[in-house]
């Protein structure tokens, strides 16, 4: 066990009484409660945490927060492993196990030679150029790149052992960020009585106040944070959510939050709580107090381990009690660097400051008071070191900042802390649709014009002084509460902050000179995660990429899991400089959710496994299961697919079921068929306007097969409707189309014909239906009913009768989808199983065979009956199906006019035909493409495709339905179905393979 | 996700609703009196307005009723909600 050589003896918010053991890259190390993985590594003197994406350069911890581009780790193992986590945000717990995820070929090995090679292989635009030419280039490079990229592994074991939850909440004011501005906003809004949610992504609220030595009311700022939290805790309507990242700002003030409920605990140690929770918040008003991200500076070899953001160095000292180095070089383009210099010096680090501005600012006095050397007008020429920076060359800059004005001097250092300025964290504001403006003084984008009900306060608004941030936060919280109808928060007491020196402007020096005095140019990194250099940006500019969105895609800058939080503005500044334009003229990139990566687990919540989608079963489901049925998913329904007997293959079972339906009697569960009751004096009129054929004159007691089209004339659905009474129809739909057809009827009824007195209701689940098919169907049914006259004269085909079947009130319809003598018996859903078992029992002596959807499909295909959605695809008219006779001449209906359009009258439209294979045993694959003849040079004209294809045991040969160009005129023609390896000769036939006159079903 | 005020049920999340495209497209009284071009105009052509757009929504997972919405297609702000058969409120005429 090592002893944390870089841990300070005192100070910070870690608990030295609670040491925690953890494993990093196979090494056992120790940190303290309150550490992040990053701070614990630094306390152990470990800066090198991975290798870079393209060049495999050693990389260290750059930041202390969400913006981290380098320190990406693979956390834990097995089913709980998680990639792409930022070590700067992973809270340490006992037994934590983490690996660097990008360390090919190894973390420690120096691969300088490989770097050079890779560097030439992967210039800007590499991916695009490789995709384009040579044609097979990508195939060659892909394997190499995938292995080399090393962006983490998804868990290969499963299922995820953890539980995730979701919350849906409304609030008056959502405050994002619990730094000084956010706390002040929440206090003001909370005091007004508004329902407030304060969400903060860190382990504890306080934000920047946890990382500084500033005082409030003369006390350490953390004291005030504690008091503020106590005040908020006493407010009933305020909810504080720590460890909660607001990652999406959507329309109408809808925000999505990911709360890491137990991620900070050892895996599996809190089984009574979810791992993470997704909050979906609809907020009346939002206050964004999301702070700011510090910008790196772009100089030669600015990527070595030990080079980090100045604010991060300060955070490690003050919040985590880590002394990150012995000798530090602090590089400043902004006053923020001096606070870091002072804090480092005060824990014994030897510090030199290099300021790229010609004059040192007023705050440099604090540094000089600590004997820190301040070199104004200087920059970093380059750095030295392998797995850790060990020296840097500095030299005076010329007036423009584009070249050097003197010789370089080498400074030994094991830390370079840089502050190129601060970017307000405008991600959520931008996601909300807000417009940004350029602040030249601080060289950053700030929120300008909101489009939703949102306010921005503190550093996120470009208000960087503590006193001003507090005031702005309170004003924002109060204004938000007022806008939501509350008042009284304006007078909340704020603590007094120290008055600092007036800040000097930030110098927007986007890149230091690319060439050392008298030397060769070296890499200046802009995007650390994607290894994009200032030269790559220059190359893109030379190749004509002038839009920032194109620049991003071409160089991949900002396209990593960090979404360019530390790189976008620098890239923009460099591009603007090359184009001779101002930054705001070049534009800014669009920020999209999520702000930081979100787990699939938290998005899915409990909707996984059996709960992923509702399962609908019919009242007879238990019987099917007991009979060993295999099931098919039809929408959400579980339908029996076939009922294999022991030893039977699917083919055997389906053939047996098919033969039984044509030669004896067979039974199908048809309960899932969509059923809609259409009622009212104008019910017949509505159906007349919807269906291609007429329904108004259908007599009570009769049924009719109907076809409905969309207004463009294409078939939407089909099914049988029964007239139950003068003012009442029962409409049947395809199983998968039930909801769609009901919505279709409602749309026309409500929006186009509100004058019609008619109402539509789904009754699909109110009825259970057993469908008997086969020559013995009538005799079997006759044994189960005494009050329905089954004589064909009294109860003809396409009629329905009410009565009792097996003692149960029933409605019996003589309709047939199989082409056999067929009766569909419907009873109240609660009687479904009783009806079914009674039929099964009575049917034994007739050889009654249950059959599933597969047999149903075969039987209907033998008859050439279509299935809407299988033999049609939204491009097929009734005429294309050969059902022109169903198109009424003397009435209008939805889609009728379209059937007379030039396009729908074309003779070469794809039309429904049957196909016979020359080899009767060959069953064509559905979707098979049909061409005129085998062979030929591509492109070969496609004539159509196979829509349905089966083995027909009844006919002793295969059958297929197909949509073929000009098919109706091709009967008898020989065509070819082209398969990947061979072609199958077929003959076009009429789509009715069996009993074309329908004698069996009418008899 | 939009927050849509159903005229019958009040404000509800967008996921409860279905979208029905541009509103106030009246089906021709006698489609067969139109030539192909005029029928195609009714069938296929939509204004695709930038700004205040009058459109139909249906509260599919609520009251199942259709109604009209005026939505700014740039900001997604809902400017007005009104029932089928009602004239668009003044907000809906903005930008015409
Ligand atoms: Zn409603």
């Amino acid at each position: 066990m090592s002893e944390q050589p870089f841990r300070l003896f005192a100070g910070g918010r870690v608990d030295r009484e609670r040491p925690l053991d953890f494993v990093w890259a196979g090494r056992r190390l120790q940190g303290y409660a309150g550490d992040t993985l990053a701070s614990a590594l630094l306390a152990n003197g470990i800066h090198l945490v991975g290798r870079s994406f393209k060049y495999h350069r050693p990389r260290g911890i750059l930041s202390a927060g969400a913006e981290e581009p380098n320190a990406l780790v693979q956390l834990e193992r097995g089913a709980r492993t998680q990639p792409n986590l930022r070590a700067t945000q992973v809270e340490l717990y006992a037994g934590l196990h983490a690996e660097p995820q990008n360390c090919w070929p190894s973390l420690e090995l120096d691969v300088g030679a490989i770097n050079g090679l890779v560097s030439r292989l992967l210039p800007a635009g590499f991916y695009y150029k490789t995709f384009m030419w040579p044609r097979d280039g990508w195939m060659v490079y892909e394997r190499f790149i995938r292995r080399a990229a090393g962006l983490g592994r998804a868990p290969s074991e499963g299922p995820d052992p953890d539980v995730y939850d979701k919350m849906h909440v409304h609030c008056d004011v959502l405050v994002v960020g619990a730094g000084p501005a956010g706390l002040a906003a929440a206090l003001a809004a909370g005091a007004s009585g508004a329902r407030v949610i304060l969400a903060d992504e860190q382990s504890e609220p306080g934000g920047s106040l946890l990382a500084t030595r500033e005082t409030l009311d003369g006390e350490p700022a953390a004291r005030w944070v504690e008091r503020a939290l106590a005040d908020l805790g006493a407010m009933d309507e305020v909810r504080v959510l720590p460890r909660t990242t607001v990652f999406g700002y959507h329309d109408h003030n809808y925000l999505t939050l990911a709360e890491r409920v137990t991620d900070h605990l050892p895996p599996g140690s809190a089984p009574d709580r979810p791992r993470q929770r997704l909050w979906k918040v609809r907020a009346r008003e939002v206050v964004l107090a999301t702070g700011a991200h510090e910008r790196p500076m772009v100089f030669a070899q600015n990527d070595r381990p030990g080079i980090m953001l100045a604010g991060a160095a300060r955070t490690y000292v003050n919040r985590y009690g880590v002394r990150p180095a012995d000798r530090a070089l602090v590089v400043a383009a902004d006053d923020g660097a001096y606070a870091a210099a002072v804090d480092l010096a005060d824990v014994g680090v030897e510090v030199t400051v290099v300021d790229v501005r010609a004059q040192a600012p007023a705050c440099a006095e604090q540094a000089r008071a600590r004997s820190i050397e301040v070199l104004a007008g200087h920059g970093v020429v380059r750095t030295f070191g392998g797995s850790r920076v060990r020296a840097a060359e500095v030299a005076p800059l010329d007036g423009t900042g584009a070249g050097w004005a003197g010789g370089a001097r080498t400074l030994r250092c094991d830390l370079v802390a840089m502050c190129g300025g601060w970017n307000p964290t405008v991600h959520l504001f931008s996601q909300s649709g807000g417009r940004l403006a350029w602040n030249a003084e601080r060289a950053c984008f700030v929120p300008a014009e909101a489009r939703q009900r949102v306010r921005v306060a503190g550093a996120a608004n470009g208000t960087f002084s503590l006193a001003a941030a507090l005031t702005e936060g309170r004003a924002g919280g109060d204004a938000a509460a007022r806008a939501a109808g509350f008042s009284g928060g304006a007078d909340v007491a704020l603590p007094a902050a120290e008055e600092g020196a007036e800040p000097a402007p930030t110098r927007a020096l986007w890149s230091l000179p690319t060439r050392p005095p008298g030397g060769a140019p070296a890499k200046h990194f802009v995007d650390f995660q994607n290894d994009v250099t200032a030269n790559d940006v220059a190359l893109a500019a030379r190749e004509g990429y002038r839009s920032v969105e194109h620049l991003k895609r071409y160089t991949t800058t900002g396209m990593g899991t960090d979404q360019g939080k530390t790189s976008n503005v620098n890239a923009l500044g460099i591009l603007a400089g090359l184009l001779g334009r101002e930054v705001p003229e070049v534009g800014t990139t669009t920020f999209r959710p999520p702000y930081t990566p979100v787990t699939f687990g938290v998005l899915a919540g409990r909707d996984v496994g059996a709960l992923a989608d509702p399962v609908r079963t019919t009242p007879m489901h238990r019987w099917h299961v007991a009979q060993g049925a295999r099931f098919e998913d039809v929408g959400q329904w579980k339908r029996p697919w076939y009922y294999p007997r022991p030893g039977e293959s699917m083919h055997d079972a389906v053939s047996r079921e098919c033969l039984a339906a044509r030669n004896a009697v067979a039974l199908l569960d048809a309960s899932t068929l969509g059923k809609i009751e259409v009622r009212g004096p104008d019910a017949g009129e509505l159906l007349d306007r919807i269906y291609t054929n007429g329904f108004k004159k259908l007599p009570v007691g009769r049924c009719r097969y109907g076809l409905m089209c969309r207004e463009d004339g294409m078939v939407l659905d089909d099914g049988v409707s029964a007239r139950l009474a003068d003012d009442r129809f029962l409409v049947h739909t395809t199983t998968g189309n039930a909801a769609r057809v009901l919505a279709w009827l409602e749309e026309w009824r409500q929006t186009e014909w509100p004058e019609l007195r008619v109402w539509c209701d789904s009754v699909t689940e109110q009825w259970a239906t057993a469908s008997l098919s086969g020559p013995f169907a009538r005799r079997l049914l006759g044994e189960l009913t005494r009050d329905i006259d089954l004589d064909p004269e009294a109860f003809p085909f396409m009629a329905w009768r009410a009565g009792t079947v097996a003692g149960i009130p029933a409605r019996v319809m003589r309709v047939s989808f199989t082409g056999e003598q067929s009766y569909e018996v419907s009873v109240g859903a609660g009687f479904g199983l009783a009806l079914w078992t009674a039929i099964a029992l009575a049917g034994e002596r007739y050889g009654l065979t249950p059959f599933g959807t597969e047999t149903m499909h075969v039987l209907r295909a033998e008859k050439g009956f279509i299935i809407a959605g299988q033999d049609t695809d939204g491009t097929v008219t009734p005429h294309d199906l050969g059902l022109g006779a169903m198109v009424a001449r003397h009435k209008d209906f939805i889609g009728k006019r379209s059937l007379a359009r030039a396009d729908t009258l074309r003779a070469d439209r794809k039309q429904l035909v049957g196909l016979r294979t020359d080899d009767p045993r060959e069953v064509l694959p559905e979707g098979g493409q049909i061409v005129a003849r085998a062979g030929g040079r591509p492109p070969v004209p496609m004539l159509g495709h196979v829509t349905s294809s089966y083995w027909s045991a009844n006919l002793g040969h295969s059958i297929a339905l197909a949509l073929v160009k000009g098919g109706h005129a091709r009967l008898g023609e020989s065509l070819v179905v082209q398969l990947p390896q061979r072609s199958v000769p077929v003959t076009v036939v009429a789509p009715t393979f069996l009993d074309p006159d329908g004698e069996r079903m009418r008899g | 996700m939009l927050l849509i005020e159903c005229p019958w049920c009040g404000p509800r999340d967008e996921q409860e609703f279905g979208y029905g495209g541009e509103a106030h497209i009246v089906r021709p009284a006698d489609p067969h009196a139109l030539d192909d071009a005029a029928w195609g105009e009714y069938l296929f052509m939509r204004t695709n307005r930038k700004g205040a757009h009058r459109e139909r929504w249906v509260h599919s997972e609520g009251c199942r009723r259709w109604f009209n919405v005026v939505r700014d297609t740039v900001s997604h702000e809902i400017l007005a909600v009104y029932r089928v058969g009602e004239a668009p409120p003044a907000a809906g005429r903005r930008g015409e």
Side-chain angles (χ1 to χ4, degrees):
Chain A
M1 204 60 55
S2 68
E3 49 184 89
Q4 306 186 44
F6 291 85
R7 185 76 70 177
L8 297 167
F9 289 109
R13 304 186 64 77
V14 294
D15 184 352
R16 289 172 179 76
E17 303 298 312
R18 288 178 57 205
L20 300 172
D21 296 338
F22 68 101
V23 175
W24 163 254
R27 285 176 66 189
R28 296 178 63 78
L29 300 168
Q30 194 178 71
Y32 291 131
D35 262 327
T36 60
L37 175 57
S39 67
L41 289 172
L42 292 173
N44 284 278
I46 296 172
H47 283 251
L48 171 63
V49 290
R51 284 187 175 273
S52 72
F53 176 56
K54 276 197 311 205
Y55 305 128
H56 301 276
R57 292 170 65 94
R59 287 285 164 78
I61 295 160
L62 181 76
S63 74
E67 68 272 38
E68 178 62 33
N70 287 338
L72 301 183
V73 303
Q74 182 92 28
L75 192 65
E76 298 306 334
R77 289 159 290 185
R80 280 199 167 95
T81 193
Q82 200 184 340
N84 296 333
L85 285 171
R86 295 150 301 282
T88 50
Q89 290 191 296
V90 173
E91 289 181 55
L92 199 66
Y93 51 78
L96 178 146
H97 185 281
E99 299 283 340
Q101 71 183 23
N102 193 10
C103 51
W104 180 84
S106 85
L107 186 58
E108 308 286 343
L109 180 70
D110 183 24
V111 283
I114 295 176
N115 287 347
L117 173 70
V118 176
S119 165
R120 282 197 302 279
L121 274 174
L122 299 171
F126 166 79
Y127 297 98
Y128 289 82
K129 287 168 179 164
T130 311
F131 283 132
M132 298 305 289
W133 186 92
R135 251 183 77 190
D136 299 327
W138 181 246
M139 302 299 169
V140 176
Y141 295 124
E142 188 191 11
R143 278 176 56 203
F144 164 76
I145 289 169
R146 279 196 192 286
R147 185 166 64 113
L151 281 173
R153 303 180 311 277
S156 53
E157 295 167 33
D160 189 330
D162 291 312
V163 167
Y164 302 79
D165 261 345
K166 285 184 191 170
M167 288 285 278
H168 300 259
V169 288
H170 292 258
C171 69
D172 296 309
V173 180
L174 171 64
V175 180
V176 185
L183 285 169
L187 286 169
S192 74
R195 293 170 302 166
V196 176
I197 295 176
L198 173 61
D200 186 84
E201 73 175 343
Q202 301 216 40
S203 57
E204 53 176 334
S208 62
L209 298 177
L210 304 175
T212 70
R213 293 189 297 159
E214 285 170 294
T215 62
L216 289 171
D217 284 343
E219 290 183 316
R223 289 273 166 73
W224 177 75
V225 173
E226 282 164 29
R227 284 204 304 274
L229 287 172
D231 289 351
L232 290 171
M235 298 176 185
D236 290 341
E237 298 292 348
V238 174
R239 177 163 13 210
V240 179
L241 296 175
R243 301 188 172 97
T244 302
T245 302
V246 180
F247 65 85
Y249 196 137
H250 312 275
D251 287 320
H252 294 190
N253 267 16
Y254 188 75
L255 294 98
T256 41
L257 289 56
E259 181 188 7
R260 294 172 297 281
V261 184
T262 57
D263 272 358
H264 61 293
L265 302 174
S269 65
D272 56 333
R273 281 191 285 164
R275 185 182 152 215
Q276 298 178 349
R277 186 180 284 132
L278 180 67
W279 293 75
K280 300 182 173 189
V281 178
R282 183 77 72 174
R284 282 186 200 282
E285 304 290 329
V286 171
V287 179
L288 297 176
T290 45
H293 292 146
E294 199 171 14
R295 279 197 300 264
M297 295 190 68
V298 181
F299 52 82
Q301 299 139 347
N302 59 342
D303 66 325
R304 296 190 199 283
I307 301 182
M308 67 169 64
L309 296 167
R314 195 181 176 204
T315 300
Y316 290 117
V317 170
N318 294 325
R319 178 168 176 182
Y320 299 106
V322 172
R323 188 171 61 91
D326 294 324
R327 280 200 180 83
L329 174 65
V330 175
V331 193
D334 178 276
D335 287 6
Y338 289 89
V342 165
D343 289 351
L344 284 164
D346 286 353
V347 294
V349 180
E350 226 174 273
V351 179
T352 307
V353 175
V354 165
D355 197 320
V356 298
R357 296 172 291 186
Q359 306 265 313
C363 65
E365 279 320 304
Q366 290 182 9
R368 292 207 178 97
R370 287 165 173 83
S371 309
I372 295 171
E373 187 182 8
V374 177
L375 298 167
H378 276 61
V380 178
V381 177
R382 60 183 155 186
T383 69
F384 303 92
S387 59
R388 176 86 183 262
V389 65
R390 62 184 156 72
E393 268 179 16
V394 301
L397 287 160
D398 70 14
T400 64
W404 303 108
R409 164 182 159 192
T410 303
L411 297 172
R412 282 183 56 211
C413 59
D414 52 357
L415 176 76
V416 177
M418 51 191 173
C419 178
W422 296 83
N423 293 328
T425 310
V426 294
H427 300 67
L428 293 173
F429 180 77
S430 179
Q431 286 180 26
S432 78
R435 203 177 54 78
L436 303 176
W438 182 250
N439 176 334
E441 176 95 348
R442 306 306 301 262
C444 62
F445 285 104
V446 292
E449 205 178 289
R451 218 183 54 194
Q452 297 202 36
R453 304 188 67 84
V454 56
R455 291 166 181 79
V456 190
N461 201 33
T463 303
F464 293 105
S465 104
L466 177 53
L470 286 163
T471 310
E472 196 171 275
R474 179 175 65 183
D478 175 55
R482 282 175 192 280
F486 297 84
S487 61
D491 304 329
V492 167
L494 290 180
E498 301 165 74
E499 282 298 321
E502 186 65 25
T506 307
R507 180 170 185 191
L509 185 58
W510 301 112
S511 173
L512 273 70
T514 50
R515 202 175 274 275
K523 287 191 186 334
H524 291 47
F525 284 93
V526 176
D527 182 324
F528 295 101
Q529 189 176 112
N530 275 352
D531 260 0
V532 179
T533 65
N535 270 341
D536 291 329
V537 177
L539 175 64
R542 279 202 305 279
E543 293 188 358
Y545 291 86
R546 276 167 169 58
S547 140
V548 63
E549 291 295 339
H550 291 161
L551 173 80
K552 272 183 74 170
R553 283 154 184 80
Y554 192 62
T555 62
T556 72
T557 190
M559 306 286 274
T561 56
D562 64 340
Q563 290 287 289
K565 290 184 180 65
T566 56
S567 63
N568 282 339
V569 173
N570 280 340
L572 206 57
I574 293 170
L575 181 66
L578 291 164
L579 299 176
R581 294 159 72 185
E582 297 298 317
V583 171
E585 292 177 60
V586 179
T588 181
T589 60
T590 309
F591 297 92
R592 297 187 179 86
Y595 169 67
T596 47
V598 178
T599 60
F600 283 110
V602 79
L603 294 177
R606 306 248 176 184
D607 306 330
V608 295
L611 300 179
D613 198 30
V615 172
R616 300 171 80 185
T617 57
T618 74
M620 293 82 111
H621 189 72
R622 264 193 302 155
W623 190 93
H624 306 318
V625 172
Q627 294 295 310
R630 297 287 157 78
F631 290 89
E632 179 183 27
D633 290 337
V634 182
Q636 291 168 333
W637 288 104
K638 293 282 177 202
R639 295 198 70 179
W641 191 15
Y642 59 99
Y643 297 81
R645 287 181 180 165
E648 271 187 343
S649 66
M650 178 175 173
H651 181 268
D652 298 338
V654 171
S655 293
R656 172 177 54 72
E657 292 172 16
C658 283
L659 291 168
R662 296 254 184 257
N663 298 312
V665 62
L667 180 62
L668 174 79
D669 183 351
S671 308
T672 65
L673 220 59
K675 292 175 277 292
I676 300 166
E677 271 209 22
V678 179
R679 287 201 204 203
D682 294 321
E685 177 63 30
L686 176 68
L687 296 187
D688 255 18
R689 296 183 188 187
I690 293 289
Y691 279 108
T692 65
N693 46 342
F695 280 84
K696 211 155 48 178
K697 293 176 188 148
L698 182 71
V700 174
R702 302 290 299 195
C703 309
R704 181 164 290 162
Y705 173 68
L707 210 53
M708 61 176 77
C709 293
R710 302 188 311 230
E711 189 72 297
D712 63 1
M714 304 304 155
V715 171
L716 171 68
D717 200 48
D718 66 342
V720 169
S721 295
R723 187 158 209 163
L724 303 179
D726 274 343
D727 62 351
R728 199 167 156 210
F729 287 81
L730 179 65
V731 171
H732 287 91
T733 77
T734 310
T735 295
N737 261 350
R740 198 171 308 148
V741 171
L742 178 61
W744 183 245
L745 295 175
E746 285 289 350
E747 179 179 344
W748 288 100
R749 184 186 78 79
Q750 292 183 36
T751 68
E752 202 68 33
W753 308 313
E755 71 284 2
L756 292 185
R757 292 158 302 161
V758 58
W759 297 270
C760 307
D761 278 297
S762 167
V763 293
T764 301
E765 303 210 332
Q766 277 65 35
W767 294 93
T769 302
S771 177
L772 285 166
S773 278
F776 301 149
R778 178 152 50 235
R779 278 167 61 187
L780 170 54
L781 185 58
E783 293 195 12
L784 292 164
T785 182
R786 279 190 298 254
D787 56 357
I788 301 175
D789 184 355
L790 297 178
D791 183 88
E793 297 290 318
F795 190 175
F797 182 58
M798 295 308 273
W800 71 269
R801 297 291 179 263
T804 51
V805 175
I808 304 164
R811 191 184 281 151
V812 180
M813 290 173 60
R814 240 200 106 179
V815 296
S816 178
F817 192 43
T818 59
E820 284 306 313
Q821 188 189 91
S822 181
Y823 295 85
E824 294 198 346
V825 184
S826 295
V827 297
F831 293 109
L833 189 58
L835 171 75
W836 186 272
T837 43
I839 293 174
L841 197 65
E844 273 174 16
R845 61 198 198 87
Y846 296 96
L848 179 75
T849 303
F851 70 103
T853 51
E854 186 66 17
T855 292
M856 178 188 81
H857 282 198
V858 178
L859 297 173
R860 65 90 200 175
E862 288 172 350
K863 286 287 297 171
F865 293 154
I866 61 151
I867 290 184
Q870 175 165 343
D871 302 297
T872 68
D873 60 2
T875 68
V876 182
T877 68
H879 298 93
D880 297 339
L881 295 172
L883 297 174
M886 291 183 62
V887 176
R889 289 162 184 260
H890 302 296
K891 62 150 191 164
D892 188 29
F893 59 84
I894 298 300
K896 185 175 187 183
R897 173 64 185 83
S898 291
L899 297 177
R901 290 177 61 233
D903 183 64
T904 42
L905 293 172
R906 278 188 297 114
D908 66 342
R909 290 184 61 81
K910 287 187 183 174
Q911 294 160 339
L912 187 77
V913 295
L915 295 181
R916 287 285 307 273
T917 48
D918 290 6
D919 174 356
R921 289 162 303 170
E922 171 102 38
V923 180
L924 294 165
E926 287 172 357
Q929 293 291 317
I930 299 163
V931 296
R933 65 192 68 82
R937 274 168 60 94
V940 178
M942 295 295 171
L943 298 179
H945 65 278
V946 178
T947 60
S948 295
S949 175
Y950 312 94
W951 170 254
S952 168
N954 285 303
L955 298 167
H957 62 75
S958 71
I959 55 170
L961 301 175
L963 288 168
V964 176
K965 279 188 182 172
H968 292 162
R970 289 182 189 265
L971 296 188
E973 216 173 280
S974 294
L975 298 174
V976 164
V977 175
Q978 185 64 50
L979 303 182
Q981 302 301 330
R982 62 203 175 90
S983 35
V984 182
V986 296
T987 304
V988 180
V989 298
T992 312
F993 297 91
L994 185 136
D995 187 24
D997 298 326
E999 285 165 13
R1000 301 170 78 109
M1001 61 187 185
R1002 287 172 210 280
Chain B
M1 184 166 6
L2 306 184
L3 186 67
I4 300 172
E5 177 118 13
C6 171
W8 311 95
C9 309
R12 302 293 181 94
D13 272 344
E14 179 185 345
Q15 65 183 19
E16 293 185 13
F17 297 86
Y19 183 63
E22 188 173 341
H24 304 294
I25 293 171
V26 179
R27 188 168 195 270
D30 181 5
H32 293 271
L34 305 180
D35 62 13
D36 273 9
W39 179 251
E41 189 70 27
Y42 154 72
L43 194 54
F44 300 120
M45 295 306 176
R46 299 295 181 263
T47 56
N48 195 24
R49 185 189 301 275
K50 181 178 181 181
H53 184 244
R54 302 186 307 217
E55 57 196 24
R56 307 183 309 159
W57 287 80
V58 58
H59 196 185
S60 321
E61 290 174 31
C63 61
R64 276 173 44 199
R65 296 216 212 193
W66 284 86
F67 58 95
N68 296 315
V69 168
V70 185
R71 180 177 59 98
D72 186 317
T73 55
V74 179
S75 68
H76 292 191
E77 187 188 351
I78 290 181
L79 306 170
V81 171
Y82 55 105
R83 298 177 183 185
V84 170
E86 290 178 354
R93 302 207 181 90
R94 201 169 80 187
E96 273 187 358

